[in-house]
Amino acid sequence: MNEVSGKLETSQLANVPEHVAIIMDGNGRWAKERGLPRLKGHEEGAQSVRAVLRAAKKAQVNYLTLYAFSTENWVRPEEEVQGLMNLLSIFMDRYKNDLLKNKIRLRVMGQIERLPQKVQKKLAKLMEETARDYEYTLILALSYGSRLEIAEAAKAIARKAAAGELDPEAVTEETVAQHLYLPDVPDPELMIRTSGELRLSNFLLWQLSYAELYVTDTYWPDFREEQFFQALEAFNQRGRRYGGVKNK
Ligand code: FPP
């Protein structure tokens, strides 16, 4: 087994996942350990977003999905929710040129209509601007919940069936997949979760069916390029079988 250094040239990786999804956890604990307000942890976490975005491009990961705000996160104190929305806004202003220069397209998934109007407008504008010329895709899961996404897909399918547009007997896994938020995006092959929790937390339950899971104790604000490459190395050392015969 190769040494997991995180310092390797990414060109050494035989198998780079096309899509990596990340649960960015531990911002609050990072801040608490330093006697700082939770928002400071989120601010530092936004720096990790930038670092990982660059690292993903370097490694030629085409799609990166980040769990930035869950449907459950709305119950956090008003001040923290507002702080996170502000951070998102600042992130878009500050990294707009980064996204354009690096040919990274922004997309979103979730209940976007629940976000503050100003944030929605900014997202829409940036999505449009970055869609013109791109090689990589950053997907932000915002007010996202996977069960809700699947329920919405079921509702859309049921509506079509009721309208006689679709035969219920013809509904397959593919039909469901085609009614999720971003049907054209390939499923993630790797899901990273920071800060040690061994849970999926209602994140991409359908799409992660065959993904390799990688959990690190590192808090998200400390998760940068080196840690991202370590995750890619670990992914390379796994034998992926998809329920079939071992392929290596
Ligand atoms: C989890 O840490 C993190 C979040 C709920 C939000 C993630 C947000 C960012 C990284 C900042 C900005 C993002 C973008 C895209 C600009 P936690 O608060 O649950 O940490 P804890 O479990 O230690 O309390």
Side-chain angles (χ1 to χ4, degrees), residues 24-30 38 41-43 45-46 49 66-69 73 76 80 84 87-88 91 140 195 197 219-220:
M24 310 182 287
D25 199 10
N27 294 348
R29 275 162 286 169
W30 182 92
R38 292 177 58 82
H42 296 314
E43 277 174 29
V49 170
L66 303 179
Y67 206 1
F69 196 87
N73 286 154
R76 291 194 178 197
E80 185 173 346
L84 279 166
L87 257 185
L88 182 60
F91 173 86
L140 294 182
S195 96
E197 241 64 75
Y219 293 147
W220 177 250

Side-chain angles (χ1 to χ4, degrees), residues 10 31 39 105 131 179 233:
T10 49
L39 213 47
R105 173 188 189 181
H179 287 81
E233 276 194 77

